[in-house]
Amino acid sequence: GAGVSQTPSNKVTEKGKYVELRCDPISGHTALYWYRQSLGQGPEFLIYFQGTGAADDSGLPNDRFFAVRPEGSVSTLKIQRTERGDSAVYLCASSVDRVTGELFFGEGSRLTVL
Amino acid sequence: GEDVEQSLFLSVREGDSSVINCTYTDSSSTYLYWYKQEPGAGLQLLTYIFSNMDMKQDQRLTVLLNKKDKHLSLRIADTQTGDSAIYFCAETSGATNKLIFGTGTLLAVQP
């Protein structure tokens, strides 16, 4: 596709459940980022992939959060034992140019934990 | 630590100029950015400035950078109702150049 695609666009789950959020970056973009945006806040960095490897995972809040990008394209953000505080919009972005840092964002996956 | 601050809200009349301000903390940031977020849409890059520049102009947008004070501003000339959105400044940080975003400024343009 032409842009970054994220699925699902909306996910409602119950506290304690496991959730997977998918990101399909722009073709040819080697850098992929996950951010989390809570209501009224700016995007908060979670993790950055360069190719298949996580180059920087310093933003993951705890070990319930994990992300993979096994073939260097699609990425999945996995959240175990979800908590109400995990409710947010999870944004994915990709970039071809790491130097200038121009990121192309998807529309996000809105996660609501009841 | 990393911290990017912005004022929360700005209201202007259509046709006036808007100035959105931002302060950042990482003096080693190579680039500084302005992103725009409209309701129901993804973040969109508006413009960016290299850290060795003082000013960059792009049509109605003017970016000013005061590196000494770590202050960045975005001026929108002849503001239109379609400019109503949340504007985020962002700095690059660390060896991986990840973007750190500010809290966002909601720009409301009154007709």
Side-chain angles (χ1 to χ4, degrees), chain B residues 90-102:
Chain B
E91 62 175 357
T92 51
S93 179
T96 58
N97 271 355
K98 62 179 183 271
L99 290 196
I100 304 300
F101 286 85

Side-chain angles (χ1 to χ4, degrees), chain A residues 14-91:
Chain A
E14 293 178 343
K15 182 174 177 292
K17 298 288 189 184
Y18 170 79
V19 164
E20 287 191 353
L21 306 174
R22 175 189 167 109
C23 173
D24 200 340
I26 293 172
S27 177
H29 283 194
T30 56
L32 185 147
Y33 302 78
W34 283 99
Y35 284 81
R36 176 169 71 175
Q37 187 174 22
S38 300
L39 193 62
Q41 302 292 318
E44 173 193 7
F45 171 78
L46 295 177
I47 187 168
Y48 156 59
F49 286 91
Q50 183 61 37
T52 60
D56 186 341
D57 64 358
S58 61
L60 294 178
N62 52 58
D63 61 6
R64 295 187 299 104
F65 287 76
F66 190 70
V68 295
R69 196 186 184 200
E71 296 176 1
S73 178
V74 171
S75 176
T76 305
L77 178 66
K78 307 180 181 197
I79 310 173
Q80 297 178 319
R81 304 182 306 279
T82 51
E83 300 178 357
R84 292 194 181 90
D86 298 335
S87 296
V89 177
Y90 289 81
L91 299 169

